[in-house]
Amino acid sequence: MNSANHWGGSFEINAAEVSASGEYDRSRSGEWDGAALYHHQHLDETQQSWLLGPPETKKNKYVDFGCIIVSRKALKWILGSFVVAFCVIALPIIIAKSLPKHKPHPPPPDNYSVALNKALLFFNAQKSGNLPKNNGIPWRGNSGLNDGNGTDFKGGLVGGYYDAGDNVKFHFPMAYAMTMLSWSVIEYSHKYKTIDEYNHVRDVIKWGTDYLLLTFNSSATKIDKIYCQVGGHQNGSDVPDDHTCWQKPEEMEYTRPTLTCVAGPDLAGEMAAALAAASIVFRDNGAYSSKLIKGAQTLFAFARDSGKRTRYSNSGGSSYIAPYYNSTGYYDEYMWGAAWLYYATGNKTYLSLATNEGIPRNAKAFYMITDLSVPSWDNKLPQAMLLLTRLRIFLNPGYPYEDMLRMYHNVTALNMCSYLNSFHVFNWTRGGMIMLGRGKPQNLQYVANAAFLASLFVDYLNATGVPGWNCGPNYVSSDVLRNFATSQMDYILGKNPMNMSYVAGYGAKFPKYIHHRGASTPNDHKYYSCKGGWQWQDSKKPNPNNITGAMVGGPDQFDQFHDVRTNYNYTEPTLAGNAGLVAALVSLTSTAGNGIDTNGIFSAVPPLYPPSPPPPPPWKP
């Protein structure tokens, strides 16, 4: 075949055009056009470069790259441009990349984050036992080192938290406070981390759970008693004790009784909830988490013992307990403890109990009693039903749990409706505070709890793309409920008729005469006796020690607040109240963005449905 000539024509030479001697037939050359021949002899430079390459005389003006010839002058411009571009663009980038990297400045904290930083410090001020060096409260020292010396357990009951302005360790509200703090960490760990309080709040929880593990035989699977309180006071007694003496914890020298409860499903159920919730917080520490779960299971078995179903406040030392933290029932703790144990273990036995129709019936959960929509250390129905509603919203386990979970969901929605002023379920003060305590003192603890539940419910709705819910025939946007939560927290932080923050150390104006033995007694290294210390309770001077972060009892139904140390209804803080405050604040802060950890709480929950069985083998005739 002929070779292809892509420039036109064939490269093949006809044989007729070649003489026998192998030379071209020159007679045909005379037929060529002379002008054309002359033209070919004077090809332009480009054409010559194709055929012959550049002339010798132009060699120094061009650079031949094989596929292209470039003028040296143009090449210099191109190379120069690359050098300039490198210096102007690439070099600064390389230098910037090679320099040590600095994290961008975080956004400034909002008011809720600032208040949260302070509210957590209150727990440091309430610690009992051998305090860590980094406790951060200079006017506090080691105390209660002889607590529980008469118990069966080595080391006694050293540690834990003093409940309020006295030096009593009430285990029932202490356990509730640890449960609420753990719940807030499980839902909002990313927020705690962003505002650099994650390790702090975990330390606070662990200080409490370590102590709760001392109050019963946590190494056993079956127990017959719980140490339910350390210290206290009997009404009418003038014996030196935690109420007849005004002494800071470091100087206590009076006898502090250890109360033993041989029954108490309410106390045991709450303690089980606290340990189970904390086990989720500490799931990165496998050994400790397992220890907490084992303790929670032991406590819950004690709570469910049919022979021990007597309220803890009627079980042991009732005269020390009932006037202060009297329990009104224990079926709400059954629901609450079982729910947390299910999340901690994935054991469906606990879920079956939490959704057993007998539990809400005995707890009167569906009676729509107004007071039962108020979350507190004594009433966990709103918290427990919201916690189980979470399961329905995100996992929807279906039969056989769906009917009861749907009812919990419905009641939870109605509880949220009751918190809105437009439905007139609760009275409100003129200044904008909901009166969940029904005129009783120390209303702020209930307000903080309700604000947390409302804010959390909104986050559940937002996480599933639901913009609101129904209150009877009325549709309510989730923004309305969020506004309720923010309005109540803003009231606590200073947006009230008194223009006063009810959290010590926050804002320009806050209580200075807080009812608290340690904060009111000077840290002057002088000893003040049981009776001699009362001069500081009666003093007209502000507390010498600021108990930062303490939320006081709060104003009355007329928005009036009396900053008087002798009136504890106004000025005394509590563990349970501050736990609700911390939970509400972290739910509302936007410093770390919004939203919850959707799946973290389900880390121990196995798949709700078994895997599909393999298909049957093919049929053979």
Side-chain angles (χ1 to χ4, degrees):
M1 294 182 63
N2 298 334
S3 300
N5 178 10
H6 299 292
W7 297 97
S10 172
F11 285 132
E12 186 175 5
I13 302 175
N14 292 331
E17 296 178 357
V18 182
S19 65
S21 61
E23 296 180 353
Y24 286 105
D25 186 353
R26 299 184 183 278
S27 62
R28 293 180 61 88
S29 65
E31 299 176 3
W32 292 357
D33 186 289
L37 182 60
Y38 178 81
H39 174 72
H40 281 288
Q41 292 174 348
H42 296 79
L43 296 174
D44 59 40
E45 291 181 358
T46 302
Q47 290 172 318
Q48 289 183 35
S49 70
W50 292 347
L51 301 175
L52 304 175
E56 294 293 329
T57 56
K58 303 294 183 181
K59 192 173 184 179
N60 60 339
K61 292 185 179 180
Y62 296 90
V63 177
D64 185 358
F65 289 103
C67 60
I68 188 172
I69 296 174
V70 182
S71 165
R72 288 184 179 273
K73 186 176 182 180
L75 183 61
K76 290 179 180 179
W77 276 101
I78 293 171
L79 292 176
S81 299
F82 275 114
V83 171
V84 172
F86 176 81
C87 294
V88 173
I89 301 174
L91 189 59
I93 294 175
I94 294 172
I95 294 173
K97 292 286 186 182
S98 63
L99 290 175
K101 294 183 178 179
H102 298 281
K103 293 182 179 180
H105 293 291
D110 59 17
N111 291 339
Y112 301 133
S113 293
V114 174
L116 175 59
N117 296 142
K118 297 180 182 297
L120 281 171
L121 286 174
F122 170 73
F123 292 91
N124 294 42
Q126 295 299 100
K127 285 182 178 178
S128 178
N130 286 295
L131 302 185
K133 293 181 180 179
N134 62 347
N135 193 50
I137 310 297
W139 47 273
R140 282 301 324 279
N142 299 335
S143 64
L145 302 184
N146 295 317
D147 285 352
N149 274 352
T151 63
D152 298 339
F153 308 139
K154 183 179 179 180
L157 296 172
V158 177
Y161 292 98
Y162 301 116
D163 178 68
D166 51 26
N167 301 330
V168 185
K169 295 193 289 194
F170 292 101
H171 299 172
F172 192 42
M174 186 193 303
Y176 172 72
M178 297 305 105
T179 311
M180 291 294 285
L181 290 177
S182 293
W183 193 6
S184 74
V185 173
I186 292 166
E187 302 284 10
Y188 299 106
S189 60
H190 57 290
K191 292 190 178 186
Y192 279 112
K193 290 174 182 176
T194 299
I195 63 175
D196 200 24
E197 287 289 355
Y198 182 65
N199 291 332
H200 183 191
V201 71
R202 280 166 55 103
D203 287 344
V204 168
I205 294 169
K206 191 172 185 297
W207 191 268
T209 53
D210 283 350
Y211 176 76
L212 293 177
L213 288 169
L214 300 177
T215 63
F216 67 102
N217 186 359
S218 58
S219 63
T221 56
K222 185 177 178 61
I223 58 175
D224 58 4
K225 65 183 176 183
I226 299 173
Y227 295 114
C228 48
Q229 182 172 314
V230 176
H233 170 74
Q234 288 181 303
N235 284 338
S237 172
D238 58 1
V239 175
D241 62 22
D242 290 293
H243 280 193
T244 59
C245 295
W246 192 273
Q247 285 181 298
K248 57 186 180 181
E250 292 79 3
E251 294 180 347
M252 295 183 297
E253 56 185 8
Y254 45 80
T255 302
R256 286 164 55 81
T258 300
L259 306 186
T260 304
C261 291
V262 295
D266 34 21
L267 172 64
E270 181 56 68
M271 289 173 61
L275 298 187
S279 76
I280 302 174
V281 172
F282 293 103
R283 60 180 175 264
D284 58 338
N285 182 344
Y288 188 63
S289 182
S290 297
K291 184 177 182 179
L292 293 172
I293 290 174
K294 184 179 184 300
Q297 292 172 322
T298 298
L299 285 165
F300 203 71
F302 177 88
R304 292 291 294 161
D305 189 330
S306 59
K308 301 183 181 299
R309 296 189 182 180
T310 301
R311 288 179 293 138
Y312 96 104
S313 48
N314 288 344
S315 171
S318 59
S319 59
Y320 281 92
I321 299 173
Y324 309 102
Y325 285 103
N326 183 45
S327 173
T328 56
Y330 51 81
Y331 281 94
D332 55 331
E333 278 86 15
Y334 279 164
M335 188 189 301
W336 180 235
W340 278 116
L341 273 163
Y342 171 66
Y343 286 131
T345 66
N347 187 336
K348 292 181 181 178
T349 302
Y350 295 115
L351 179 59
S352 296
L353 176 64
T355 56
N356 183 295
E357 63 180 10
I359 301 296
R361 182 177 64 248
N362 285 291
K364 298 181 173 61
F366 304 143
Y367 286 38
M368 299 316 300
I369 299 172
T370 303
D371 287 347
L372 294 184
S373 67
V374 179
S376 73
W377 54 265
D378 182 39
N379 175 41
K380 285 89 176 196
L381 276 177
Q383 301 94 306
M385 287 190 287
L386 177 59
L387 187 63
L388 290 164
T389 295
R390 192 193 205 286
L391 179 66
R392 182 174 189 254
I393 290 175
F394 291 102
L395 293 189
N396 191 20
Y399 180 83
Y401 316 109
E402 169 59 19
D403 287 346
M404 193 58 64
L405 290 178
R406 183 178 67 250
M407 296 179 73
Y408 290 159
H409 194 164
N410 291 339
V411 174
T412 295
L414 292 175
N415 286 342
M416 299 303 158
C417 300
S418 73
Y419 301 151
L420 302 179
N421 198 0
S422 57
F423 293 105
H424 308 293
V425 176
F426 292 97
N427 291 329
W428 288 60
T429 67
R430 290 178 180 269
M433 177 179 64
I434 187 172
M435 292 298 297
L436 293 171
R438 295 287 191 174
K440 294 183 291 186
Q442 301 177 339
N443 185 61
L444 291 188
Q445 60 179 312
Y446 311 118
V447 173
N449 280 334
F452 170 61
L453 297 191
S455 180
L456 188 56
F457 184 67
V458 171
D459 280 335
Y460 290 169
L461 296 180
N462 289 344
T464 51
V466 178
W469 82 106
N470 289 320
C471 293
N474 303 299
Y475 175 80
V476 180
S477 168
S478 58
D479 291 340
V480 175
L481 188 59
R482 181 83 80 187
N483 290 339
F484 159 77
T486 56
S487 71
Q488 297 309 292
M489 295 312 297
D490 290 345
Y491 184 101
I492 292 174
L493 297 181
K495 195 174 181 180
N496 54 62
M498 299 292 292
N499 292 317
M500 170 181 279
S501 161
Y502 294 117
V503 177
Y506 178 85
K509 181 182 179 184
F510 52 84
K512 303 292 180 62
Y513 296 82
I514 292 178
H515 183 93
H516 192 275
R517 284 160 172 75
S520 64
T521 304
N523 189 31
D524 56 7
H525 305 292
K526 295 180 180 179
Y527 171 76
Y528 298 100
S529 67
C530 170
K531 299 301 180 184
W534 283 99
Q535 63 178 302
W536 304 116
Q537 195 255 17
D538 300 328
S539 171
K540 302 301 180 183
K541 296 181 181 180
N543 286 353
N545 307 310
N546 184 27
I547 183 165
T548 302
M551 182 181 74
V552 295
D556 59 24
Q557 58 189 329
F558 305 107
D559 296 304
Q560 296 301 302
F561 178 79
H562 301 286
D563 192 8
V564 179
R565 193 180 297 111
T566 54
N567 194 329
Y568 59 85
N569 284 332
Y570 288 105
T571 59
E572 187 171 24
T574 64
L575 281 182
N578 254 70
L581 173 70
V582 168
L585 288 170
V586 76
S587 74
L588 291 172
T589 179
S590 58
T591 300
N594 297 309
I596 57 169
D597 178 353
T598 305
N599 298 317
I601 197 172
F602 301 126
S603 59
V605 176
L608 292 171
Y609 304 101
S612 300
W619 179 79
K620 294 181 180 180

